[in-house]
Amino acid sequence: MALIYRADAAGFIAPRFSMRRIGLSKDYTTVLATHHQDEFGELYRGFNAMLQEIRVRDEKLSQLATTDTLTGLANRGHALESLQTMLTRAQRLGGAMGVMLLDVDHFKQVNDTYGHPAGDQVLRDIAHILQANVRAYDLAARFGGEEFLVLCEGADLSATVDMAERIRAAVASRVYRLAGGQTLRTTVSVGVYAGAGSHATAMQLIELADQALYRAKQAGRNRVVHA
């Protein structure tokens, strides 16, 4: 009878494992190996194909659970989990991190004047601008409605403000071309906080960035203000 192998560097699993054990452990990352060319070999190849389908399904479900469907950015829940992880790491290592909250200026007016499809296009385009301007190890998320959150791991205040200003300028210079030939321009206001006090919580960091965002709105919008 064909053997089942424990996972090695090549991804196979070694003796003592079985299909039943995989079913109980829900570890679908393993691969069953057999040298048989008979019906047992077919059985194992079929089982491996089923494991691959399960892995693809689980990856899709994980992506749906952590991604905002409109913009493709991380969603609020995933952003909050990531913020807590980054903050804990920064506090343990004595480092810093940057948090920025962005809000689209006069977004209700965009929806009222041009319609919700135009508003959705603006949100998607701003998401693209965020992805193009954050570092590979930062996280950009849609925090809710027309508000975005960017987490800048290891960034001090100067680096976070510089990144926020690049994003603000990129949004302000963008011309949105809508269906029917209409064009639209918009801006964002940005609130920034950088730090990781030993007793700070994730929500306190967001609150500080939100207070700076409020001051940016009060000061006339289309600007970056830091806490």
PDB file of all heavy atoms in Angstrom, residues 78-109:
ATOM      1  N   HIS A  78      -9.059  44.095   9.540  1.00  0.00           N
ATOM      2  CA  HIS A  78      -7.677  43.664   9.329  1.00  0.00           C
ATOM      3  C   HIS A  78      -6.698  44.769   9.700  1.00  0.00           C
ATOM      4  O   HIS A  78      -5.619  44.505  10.258  1.00  0.00           O
ATOM      5  CB  HIS A  78      -7.495  43.261   7.869  1.00  0.00           C
ATOM      6  CG  HIS A  78      -6.130  42.741   7.556  1.00  0.00           C
ATOM      7  ND1 HIS A  78      -5.526  41.743   8.297  1.00  0.00           N
ATOM      8  CD2 HIS A  78      -5.235  43.078   6.587  1.00  0.00           C
ATOM      9  CE1 HIS A  78      -4.324  41.483   7.792  1.00  0.00           C
ATOM     10  NE2 HIS A  78      -4.135  42.287   6.766  1.00  0.00           N
ATOM     11  N   ALA A  79      -7.070  46.013   9.413  1.00  0.00           N
ATOM     12  CA  ALA A  79      -6.198  47.137   9.754  1.00  0.00           C
ATOM     13  C   ALA A  79      -6.008  47.256  11.265  1.00  0.00           C
ATOM     14  O   ALA A  79      -4.892  47.495  11.741  1.00  0.00           O
ATOM     15  CB  ALA A  79      -6.783  48.436   9.194  1.00  0.00           C
ATOM     16  N   LEU A  80      -7.078  47.087  12.019  1.00  0.00           N
ATOM     17  CA  LEU A  80      -6.974  47.183  13.473  1.00  0.00           C
ATOM     18  C   LEU A  80      -6.114  46.060  14.041  1.00  0.00           C
ATOM     19  O   LEU A  80      -5.319  46.274  14.967  1.00  0.00           O
ATOM     20  CB  LEU A  80      -8.367  47.164  14.098  1.00  0.00           C
ATOM     21  CG  LEU A  80      -9.220  48.412  13.850  1.00  0.00           C
ATOM     22  CD1 LEU A  80     -10.622  48.230  14.406  1.00  0.00           C
ATOM     23  CD2 LEU A  80      -8.559  49.649  14.455  1.00  0.00           C
ATOM     24  N   GLU A  81      -6.255  44.860  13.499  1.00  0.00           N
ATOM     25  CA  GLU A  81      -5.414  43.745  13.947  1.00  0.00           C
ATOM     26  C   GLU A  81      -3.948  44.019  13.622  1.00  0.00           C
ATOM     27  O   GLU A  81      -3.064  43.772  14.453  1.00  0.00           O
ATOM     28  CB  GLU A  81      -5.864  42.452  13.276  1.00  0.00           C
ATOM     29  CG  GLU A  81      -7.212  41.928  13.757  1.00  0.00           C
ATOM     30  CD  GLU A  81      -7.613  40.656  13.045  1.00  0.00           C
ATOM     31  OE1 GLU A  81      -6.821  40.151  12.220  1.00  0.00           O
ATOM     32  OE2 GLU A  81      -8.732  40.159  13.314  1.00  0.00           O
ATOM     33  N   SER A  82      -3.696  44.540  12.430  1.00  0.00           N
ATOM     34  CA  SER A  82      -2.325  44.827  12.025  1.00  0.00           C
ATOM     35  C   SER A  82      -1.727  45.947  12.867  1.00  0.00           C
ATOM     36  O   SER A  82      -0.544  45.900  13.230  1.00  0.00           O
ATOM     37  CB  SER A  82      -2.284  45.216  10.542  1.00  0.00           C
ATOM     38  OG  SER A  82      -2.740  44.150   9.733  1.00  0.00           O
ATOM     39  N   LEU A  83      -2.532  46.952  13.181  1.00  0.00           N
ATOM     40  CA  LEU A  83      -2.054  48.048  14.021  1.00  0.00           C
ATOM     41  C   LEU A  83      -1.631  47.528  15.389  1.00  0.00           C
ATOM     42  O   LEU A  83      -0.574  47.908  15.907  1.00  0.00           O
ATOM     43  CB  LEU A  83      -3.149  49.112  14.173  1.00  0.00           C
ATOM     44  CG  LEU A  83      -2.864  50.243  15.162  1.00  0.00           C
ATOM     45  CD1 LEU A  83      -1.570  50.957  14.823  1.00  0.00           C
ATOM     46  CD2 LEU A  83      -4.035  51.229  15.195  1.00  0.00           C
ATOM     47  N   GLN A  84      -2.423  46.657  15.967  1.00  0.00           N
ATOM     48  CA  GLN A  84      -2.071  46.108  17.279  1.00  0.00           C
ATOM     49  C   GLN A  84      -0.768  45.319  17.202  1.00  0.00           C
ATOM     50  O   GLN A  84       0.097  45.422  18.088  1.00  0.00           O
ATOM     51  CB  GLN A  84      -3.194  45.212  17.798  1.00  0.00           C
ATOM     52  CG  GLN A  84      -2.958  44.684  19.214  1.00  0.00           C
ATOM     53  CD  GLN A  84      -2.777  45.811  20.215  1.00  0.00           C
ATOM     54  OE1 GLN A  84      -3.682  46.618  20.416  1.00  0.00           O
ATOM     55  NE2 GLN A  84      -1.600  45.899  20.838  1.00  0.00           N
ATOM     56  N   THR A  85      -0.602  44.549  16.138  1.00  0.00           N
ATOM     57  CA  THR A  85       0.635  43.772  15.964  1.00  0.00           C
ATOM     58  C   THR A  85       1.841  44.687  15.816  1.00  0.00           C
ATOM     59  O   THR A  85       2.884  44.486  16.454  1.00  0.00           O
ATOM     60  CB  THR A  85       0.524  42.858  14.736  1.00  0.00           C
ATOM     61  OG1 THR A  85      -0.562  41.950  14.914  1.00  0.00           O
ATOM     62  CG2 THR A  85       1.805  42.065  14.519  1.00  0.00           C
ATOM     63  N   MET A  86       1.714  45.723  14.961  1.00  0.00           N
ATOM     64  CA  MET A  86       2.821  46.664  14.758  1.00  0.00           C
ATOM     65  C   MET A  86       3.150  47.423  16.033  1.00  0.00           C
ATOM     66  O   MET A  86       4.325  47.640  16.358  1.00  0.00           O
ATOM     67  CB  MET A  86       2.464  47.655  13.650  1.00  0.00           C
ATOM     68  CG  MET A  86       2.386  47.069  12.267  1.00  0.00           C
ATOM     69  SD  MET A  86       2.000  48.371  11.038  1.00  0.00           S
ATOM     70  CE  MET A  86       1.759  47.378   9.552  1.00  0.00           C
ATOM     71  N   LEU A  87       2.120  47.847  16.750  1.00  0.00           N
ATOM     72  CA  LEU A  87       2.329  48.609  17.979  1.00  0.00           C
ATOM     73  C   LEU A  87       3.028  47.757  19.029  1.00  0.00           C
ATOM     74  O   LEU A  87       3.963  48.220  19.694  1.00  0.00           O
ATOM     75  CB  LEU A  87       0.997  49.128  18.512  1.00  0.00           C
ATOM     76  CG  LEU A  87       1.048  49.889  19.845  1.00  0.00           C
ATOM     77  CD1 LEU A  87       1.955  51.107  19.738  1.00  0.00           C
ATOM     78  CD2 LEU A  87      -0.362  50.293  20.275  1.00  0.00           C
ATOM     79  N   THR A  88       2.591  46.523  19.194  1.00  0.00           N
ATOM     80  CA  THR A  88       3.227  45.624  20.158  1.00  0.00           C
ATOM     81  C   THR A  88       4.695  45.428  19.824  1.00  0.00           C
ATOM     82  O   THR A  88       5.566  45.445  20.711  1.00  0.00           O
ATOM     83  CB  THR A  88       2.505  44.263  20.173  1.00  0.00           C
ATOM     84  OG1 THR A  88       1.146  44.461  20.549  1.00  0.00           O
ATOM     85  CG2 THR A  88       3.172  43.303  21.145  1.00  0.00           C
ATOM     86  N   ARG A  89       4.998  45.264  18.540  1.00  0.00           N
ATOM     87  CA  ARG A  89       6.386  45.067  18.123  1.00  0.00           C
ATOM     88  C   ARG A  89       7.205  46.331  18.381  1.00  0.00           C
ATOM     89  O   ARG A  89       8.340  46.262  18.856  1.00  0.00           O
ATOM     90  CB  ARG A  89       6.419  44.684  16.649  1.00  0.00           C
ATOM     91  CG  ARG A  89       7.798  44.350  16.121  1.00  0.00           C
ATOM     92  CD  ARG A  89       7.732  43.485  14.877  1.00  0.00           C
ATOM     93  NE  ARG A  89       6.825  44.007  13.874  1.00  0.00           N
ATOM     94  CZ  ARG A  89       5.806  43.310  13.348  1.00  0.00           C
ATOM     95  NH1 ARG A  89       5.553  42.067  13.751  1.00  0.00           N
ATOM     96  NH2 ARG A  89       5.039  43.834  12.427  1.00  0.00           N
ATOM     97  N   ALA A  90       6.632  47.488  18.053  1.00  0.00           N
ATOM     98  CA  ALA A  90       7.347  48.747  18.269  1.00  0.00           C
ATOM     99  C   ALA A  90       7.623  48.971  19.750  1.00  0.00           C
ATOM    100  O   ALA A  90       8.714  49.416  20.137  1.00  0.00           O
ATOM    101  CB  ALA A  90       6.542  49.906  17.696  1.00  0.00           C
ATOM    102  N   GLN A  91       6.659  48.672  20.604  1.00  0.00           N
ATOM    103  CA  GLN A  91       6.846  48.846  22.047  1.00  0.00           C
ATOM    104  C   GLN A  91       7.880  47.888  22.594  1.00  0.00           C
ATOM    105  O   GLN A  91       8.681  48.240  23.464  1.00  0.00           O
ATOM    106  CB  GLN A  91       5.502  48.674  22.756  1.00  0.00           C
ATOM    107  CG  GLN A  91       4.527  49.804  22.476  1.00  0.00           C
ATOM    108  CD  GLN A  91       3.140  49.561  23.042  1.00  0.00           C
ATOM    109  OE1 GLN A  91       2.728  48.410  23.229  1.00  0.00           O
ATOM    110  NE2 GLN A  91       2.390  50.615  23.288  1.00  0.00           N
ATOM    111  N   ARG A  92       7.905  46.683  22.081  1.00  0.00           N
ATOM    112  CA  ARG A  92       8.882  45.690  22.549  1.00  0.00           C
ATOM    113  C   ARG A  92      10.299  46.078  22.144  1.00  0.00           C
ATOM    114  O   ARG A  92      11.253  45.912  22.913  1.00  0.00           O
ATOM    115  CB  ARG A  92       8.539  44.308  22.000  1.00  0.00           C
ATOM    116  CG  ARG A  92       9.447  43.209  22.541  1.00  0.00           C
ATOM    117  CD  ARG A  92       9.063  41.841  22.023  1.00  0.00           C
ATOM    118  NE  ARG A  92       9.331  41.692  20.609  1.00  0.00           N
ATOM    119  CZ  ARG A  92       8.401  41.611  19.661  1.00  0.00           C
ATOM    120  NH1 ARG A  92       7.120  41.676  19.974  1.00  0.00           N
ATOM    121  NH2 ARG A  92       8.740  41.461  18.389  1.00  0.00           N
ATOM    122  N   LEU A  93      10.444  46.625  20.931  1.00  0.00           N
ATOM    123  CA  LEU A  93      11.769  46.964  20.411  1.00  0.00           C
ATOM    124  C   LEU A  93      12.184  48.412  20.716  1.00  0.00           C
ATOM    125  O   LEU A  93      13.304  48.805  20.408  1.00  0.00           O
ATOM    126  CB  LEU A  93      11.792  46.747  18.894  1.00  0.00           C
ATOM    127  CG  LEU A  93      11.514  45.304  18.425  1.00  0.00           C
ATOM    128  CD1 LEU A  93      11.470  45.238  16.911  1.00  0.00           C
ATOM    129  CD2 LEU A  93      12.574  44.348  18.975  1.00  0.00           C
ATOM    130  N   GLY A  94      11.271  49.182  21.295  1.00  0.00           N
ATOM    131  CA  GLY A  94      11.577  50.578  21.580  1.00  0.00           C
ATOM    132  C   GLY A  94      11.596  51.439  20.335  1.00  0.00           C
ATOM    133  O   GLY A  94      12.276  52.476  20.299  1.00  0.00           O
ATOM    134  N   GLY A  95      10.842  51.046  19.307  1.00  0.00           N
ATOM    135  CA  GLY A  95      10.812  51.790  18.055  1.00  0.00           C
ATOM    136  C   GLY A  95       9.594  52.688  17.964  1.00  0.00           C
ATOM    137  O   GLY A  95       8.901  52.935  18.941  1.00  0.00           O
ATOM    138  N   ALA A  96       9.355  53.167  16.757  1.00  0.00           N
ATOM    139  CA  ALA A  96       8.220  54.057  16.515  1.00  0.00           C
ATOM    140  C   ALA A  96       7.393  53.517  15.366  1.00  0.00           C
ATOM    141  O   ALA A  96       7.796  52.594  14.663  1.00  0.00           O
ATOM    142  CB  ALA A  96       8.698  55.468  16.197  1.00  0.00           C
ATOM    143  N   MET A  97       6.249  54.094  15.169  1.00  0.00           N
ATOM    144  CA  MET A  97       5.427  53.784  14.010  1.00  0.00           C
ATOM    145  C   MET A  97       4.545  54.987  13.704  1.00  0.00           C
ATOM    146  O   MET A  97       4.228  55.785  14.592  1.00  0.00           O
ATOM    147  CB  MET A  97       4.579  52.536  14.231  1.00  0.00           C
ATOM    148  CG  MET A  97       3.496  52.635  15.279  1.00  0.00           C
ATOM    149  SD  MET A  97       2.376  51.225  15.199  1.00  0.00           S
ATOM    150  CE  MET A  97       1.672  51.425  13.554  1.00  0.00           C
ATOM    151  N   GLY A  98       4.175  55.119  12.436  1.00  0.00           N
ATOM    152  CA  GLY A  98       3.337  56.234  12.038  1.00  0.00           C
ATOM    153  C   GLY A  98       1.929  55.773  11.705  1.00  0.00           C
ATOM    154  O   GLY A  98       1.724  54.680  11.181  1.00  0.00           O
ATOM    155  N   VAL A  99       0.968  56.621  12.018  1.00  0.00           N
ATOM    156  CA  VAL A  99      -0.438  56.363  11.716  1.00  0.00           C
ATOM    157  C   VAL A  99      -0.993  57.599  11.027  1.00  0.00           C
ATOM    158  O   VAL A  99      -0.805  58.716  11.512  1.00  0.00           O
ATOM    159  CB  VAL A  99      -1.252  56.072  12.998  1.00  0.00           C
ATOM    160  CG1 VAL A  99      -2.730  55.893  12.665  1.00  0.00           C
ATOM    161  CG2 VAL A  99      -0.708  54.854  13.720  1.00  0.00           C
ATOM    162  N   MET A 100      -1.635  57.402   9.877  1.00  0.00           N
ATOM    163  CA  MET A 100      -2.287  58.537   9.238  1.00  0.00           C
ATOM    164  C   MET A 100      -3.729  58.192   8.868  1.00  0.00           C
ATOM    165  O   MET A 100      -4.010  57.081   8.417  1.00  0.00           O
ATOM    166  CB  MET A 100      -1.515  59.015   8.008  1.00  0.00           C
ATOM    167  CG  MET A 100      -1.458  58.079   6.848  1.00  0.00           C
ATOM    168  SD  MET A 100      -0.613  58.802   5.385  1.00  0.00           S
ATOM    169  CE  MET A 100       1.092  58.439   5.787  1.00  0.00           C
ATOM    170  N   LEU A 101      -4.597  59.130   9.105  1.00  0.00           N
ATOM    171  CA  LEU A 101      -5.995  59.035   8.708  1.00  0.00           C
ATOM    172  C   LEU A 101      -6.243  60.052   7.609  1.00  0.00           C
ATOM    173  O   LEU A 101      -5.890  61.228   7.758  1.00  0.00           O
ATOM    174  CB  LEU A 101      -6.920  59.314   9.892  1.00  0.00           C
ATOM    175  CG  LEU A 101      -7.257  58.140  10.813  1.00  0.00           C
ATOM    176  CD1 LEU A 101      -8.083  58.626  12.002  1.00  0.00           C
ATOM    177  CD2 LEU A 101      -8.042  57.061  10.068  1.00  0.00           C
ATOM    178  N   LEU A 102      -6.838  59.586   6.504  1.00  0.00           N
ATOM    179  CA  LEU A 102      -7.146  60.464   5.373  1.00  0.00           C
ATOM    180  C   LEU A 102      -8.657  60.488   5.170  1.00  0.00           C
ATOM    181  O   LEU A 102      -9.307  59.450   5.237  1.00  0.00           O
ATOM    182  CB  LEU A 102      -6.499  59.968   4.084  1.00  0.00           C
ATOM    183  CG  LEU A 102      -4.995  59.793   4.023  1.00  0.00           C
ATOM    184  CD1 LEU A 102      -4.586  58.413   4.524  1.00  0.00           C
ATOM    185  CD2 LEU A 102      -4.490  59.991   2.602  1.00  0.00           C
ATOM    186  N   ASP A 103      -9.179  61.653   4.883  1.00  0.00           N
ATOM    187  CA  ASP A 103     -10.599  61.788   4.604  1.00  0.00           C
ATOM    188  C   ASP A 103     -10.762  62.591   3.317  1.00  0.00           C
ATOM    189  O   ASP A 103     -10.117  63.631   3.130  1.00  0.00           O
ATOM    190  CB  ASP A 103     -11.310  62.503   5.757  1.00  0.00           C
ATOM    191  CG  ASP A 103     -12.816  62.473   5.601  1.00  0.00           C
ATOM    192  OD1 ASP A 103     -13.425  61.456   5.967  1.00  0.00           O
ATOM    193  OD2 ASP A 103     -13.380  63.482   5.105  1.00  0.00           O
ATOM    194  N   VAL A 104     -11.618  62.101   2.411  1.00  0.00           N
ATOM    195  CA  VAL A 104     -11.844  62.796   1.136  1.00  0.00           C
ATOM    196  C   VAL A 104     -12.675  64.047   1.409  1.00  0.00           C
ATOM    197  O   VAL A 104     -13.766  63.971   1.993  1.00  0.00           O
ATOM    198  CB  VAL A 104     -12.564  61.881   0.126  1.00  0.00           C
ATOM    199  CG1 VAL A 104     -12.713  62.599  -1.218  1.00  0.00           C
ATOM    200  CG2 VAL A 104     -11.803  60.567  -0.050  1.00  0.00           C
ATOM    201  N   ASP A 105     -12.171  65.185   0.981  1.00  0.00           N
ATOM    202  CA  ASP A 105     -12.853  66.454   1.237  1.00  0.00           C
ATOM    203  C   ASP A 105     -14.129  66.563   0.402  1.00  0.00           C
ATOM    204  O   ASP A 105     -14.131  66.260  -0.796  1.00  0.00           O
ATOM    205  CB  ASP A 105     -11.924  67.623   0.898  1.00  0.00           C
ATOM    206  CG  ASP A 105     -10.690  67.655   1.795  1.00  0.00           C
ATOM    207  OD1 ASP A 105     -10.809  67.281   2.972  1.00  0.00           O
ATOM    208  OD2 ASP A 105      -9.617  68.055   1.294  1.00  0.00           O
ATOM    209  N   HIS A 106     -15.201  66.996   1.044  1.00  0.00           N
ATOM    210  CA  HIS A 106     -16.492  67.247   0.383  1.00  0.00           C
ATOM    211  C   HIS A 106     -16.965  66.031  -0.430  1.00  0.00           C
ATOM    212  O   HIS A 106     -17.500  66.183  -1.536  1.00  0.00           O
ATOM    213  CB  HIS A 106     -16.396  68.475  -0.537  1.00  0.00           C
ATOM    214  CG  HIS A 106     -15.936  69.719   0.163  1.00  0.00           C
ATOM    215  ND1 HIS A 106     -16.665  70.306   1.182  1.00  0.00           N
ATOM    216  CD2 HIS A 106     -14.822  70.471  -0.004  1.00  0.00           C
ATOM    217  CE1 HIS A 106     -16.024  71.385   1.613  1.00  0.00           C
ATOM    218  NE2 HIS A 106     -14.910  71.508   0.917  1.00  0.00           N
ATOM    219  N   PHE A 107     -16.797  64.851   0.130  1.00  0.00           N
ATOM    220  CA  PHE A 107     -17.143  63.644  -0.624  1.00  0.00           C
ATOM    221  C   PHE A 107     -18.645  63.541  -0.878  1.00  0.00           C
ATOM    222  O   PHE A 107     -19.072  63.054  -1.926  1.00  0.00           O
ATOM    223  CB  PHE A 107     -16.651  62.403   0.115  1.00  0.00           C
ATOM    224  CG  PHE A 107     -16.816  61.140  -0.674  1.00  0.00           C
ATOM    225  CD1 PHE A 107     -16.045  60.902  -1.797  1.00  0.00           C
ATOM    226  CD2 PHE A 107     -17.750  60.186  -0.295  1.00  0.00           C
ATOM    227  CE1 PHE A 107     -16.193  59.730  -2.540  1.00  0.00           C
ATOM    228  CE2 PHE A 107     -17.910  59.024  -1.025  1.00  0.00           C
ATOM    229  CZ  PHE A 107     -17.124  58.794  -2.154  1.00  0.00           C
ATOM    230  N   LYS A 108     -19.449  63.986   0.060  1.00  0.00           N
ATOM    231  CA  LYS A 108     -20.907  63.957  -0.146  1.00  0.00           C
ATOM    232  C   LYS A 108     -21.283  64.786  -1.368  1.00  0.00           C
ATOM    233  O   LYS A 108     -22.177  64.403  -2.141  1.00  0.00           O
ATOM    234  CB  LYS A 108     -21.633  64.484   1.094  1.00  0.00           C
ATOM    235  CG  LYS A 108     -23.157  64.412   0.985  1.00  0.00           C
ATOM    236  CD  LYS A 108     -23.813  64.911   2.257  1.00  0.00           C
ATOM    237  CE  LYS A 108     -25.332  64.741   2.189  1.00  0.00           C
ATOM    238  NZ  LYS A 108     -25.939  65.481   1.070  1.00  0.00           N
ATOM    239  N   GLN A 109     -20.593  65.881  -1.560  1.00  0.00           N
ATOM    240  CA  GLN A 109     -20.878  66.727  -2.726  1.00  0.00           C
ATOM    241  C   GLN A 109     -20.535  65.996  -4.022  1.00  0.00           C
ATOM    242  O   GLN A 109     -21.230  66.141  -5.036  1.00  0.00           O
ATOM    243  CB  GLN A 109     -20.063  68.018  -2.618  1.00  0.00           C
ATOM    244  CG  GLN A 109     -20.320  69.014  -3.731  1.00  0.00           C
ATOM    245  CD  GLN A 109     -19.541  70.301  -3.520  1.00  0.00           C
ATOM    246  OE1 GLN A 109     -19.234  70.681  -2.390  1.00  0.00           O
ATOM    247  NE2 GLN A 109     -19.209  70.979  -4.605  1.00  0.00           N
TER     248      GLN A 109
END
